Amino acid sequence: MNIKKIISLMLCAGICFALISCANEELPAEEIQPPEEETGPAYWFETTETSDKYSDDEGHLLASYDYQIIVMKTAEQADEAVLAMAEHFNAGMLEVLNSQLETGEELGQWASFDERLSSSLGEGDYYYTDELTAEGTQAGDIYSVCFNNYSYMGGAHPGQTYFSRIFDLSRGEYIDPLEVADDPELFRATVTDLLLDQIQHLDPEILSGYSDGYESTVAQWNSRSVCFGEDRMTVIFSEYELGPYALGTQIFEIQYDELTEALGQGGQVKLGLAQPDSTADNQ
């Protein structure tokens, strides 16, 4: 074999070795990402009911109660701040429930002394009742729980009362409705003026049913039922608060675009009506 063939074979062998080495060289391991876990909300709200009924020895219904509250549920991945917020929220709802139960647990005994009820046993259309319905609405960081309490306890007519609880999710605590705004007293005054204006534009026959001095009650609207919705707030005055039973419940709605100045930038942000002012955050 001549020298040229030897050199050619050596070159071929070298090239093959280089190719084999490249083929066997370990490629960088591809970084495998674990599958993303589907993370749901850290908390959510559910309506729960507590009810009972009372019957006589023959099985005739004497009284019943049915109370709703809203509870905050938390996910397994919820952090301590969310757990603390849920505990505070649910404690407030439990206070409402316990207050109602003070009445509900006495209904059966009260009904047993009602002679009119005993005379209508078997008809099924006359019994004592106390019902509480709850509706939750969220606007930005503000969660409103609006309650409607309907009761009949043997009087000339049933009664109906509205009230609310306002919870600030950013603070994790219940607040007075006035605290939604940057300037609470400006907010009170503005809403009062808007409510009084709506009342003055009611049908004269309805307006005549308002009690003297109703204006002072209207000015304390924040202690009544106040619910913050997506685009408006609702203020409800229950029976007897602004006039006699015949006047009935008085419900007023105020659009947020009428409250821009009264809410202030911070209030608008709380209600999800505006974005935080980044310039203010940088100061």
Side-chain angles (χ1 to χ4, degrees), residues 31-258:
E31 188 174 345
I32 301 176
Q33 297 292 339
E36 294 185 5
E37 295 183 4
E38 294 185 5
T39 57
Y43 63 87
W44 63 93
F45 298 94
E46 292 182 3
T47 301
T48 65
E49 293 190 22
T50 301
S51 60
D52 203 352
K53 59 183 179 180
Y54 306 95
S55 303
D56 65 6
D57 294 338
E58 298 180 0
H60 297 128
L61 180 64
L62 297 176
S64 70
Y65 67 78
D66 189 347
Y67 302 139
Q68 290 183 349
I69 60 170
I70 292 178
V71 296
M72 182 184 291
K73 299 285 189 176
T74 57
E76 291 184 4
Q77 74 271 17
D79 58 27
E80 291 185 4
V82 171
L83 294 176
M85 178 173 65
E87 182 179 4
H88 195 174
F89 180 90
N90 292 335
M93 290 293 102
L94 187 59
E95 287 182 6
V96 172
L97 176 60
N98 288 337
S99 177
Q100 292 295 137
L101 285 171
E102 291 179 4
T103 297
E105 292 175 350
E106 298 290 335
L107 278 183
Q109 183 176 1
W110 296 342
S112 66
F113 295 111
D114 191 329
E115 295 181 356
R116 294 172 301 171
L117 189 148
S118 61
S119 66
S120 66
L121 289 177
E123 296 179 9
D125 57 354
Y126 183 85
Y127 56 91
Y128 283 21
T129 185
D130 194 33
E131 300 173 0
L132 183 71
T133 58
E135 180 179 359
T137 60
Q138 184 170 348
D141 289 327
I142 302 301
Y143 192 84
S144 306
V145 184
C146 310
F147 292 100
N148 178 0
N149 183 203
Y150 171 89
S151 63
Y152 180 72
M153 301 178 191
H157 47 68
Q160 198 161 18
T161 303
Y162 295 82
F163 62 98
S164 63
R165 295 290 183 271
I166 308 301
F167 195 83
D168 187 335
L169 295 166
S170 65
R171 291 166 50 178
E173 59 185 24
Y174 288 96
I175 62 171
D176 185 289
L178 295 177
E179 296 179 69
V180 168
D182 293 344
D183 185 337
E185 288 309 312
L186 174 61
F187 189 42
R188 180 201 297 277
T190 302
V191 172
T192 299
D193 288 344
L194 291 169
L195 292 173
L196 291 174
D197 183 66
Q198 288 191 35
I199 291 172
Q200 289 300 316
H201 287 84
L202 291 173
D203 184 282
E205 185 175 347
I206 296 176
L207 184 57
S208 65
Y210 276 68
S211 300
D212 293 338
Y214 70 85
E215 294 89 348
S216 62
T217 302
V218 171
Q220 301 302 316
W221 57 266
N222 59 300
S223 63
R224 270 55 188 183
S225 177
V226 179
C227 300
F228 294 96
E230 183 177 344
D231 57 1
R232 73 196 71 183
M233 63 177 289
T234 303
V235 181
I236 304 178
F237 294 90
S238 301
E239 298 164 349
Y240 298 109
E241 291 186 333
L242 295 177
Y245 177 80
L247 180 65
T249 299
Q250 298 294 290
I251 303 175
F252 303 94
E253 293 183 341
I254 301 176
Q255 301 291 327
Y256 289 141
D257 58 12
E258 299 181 81

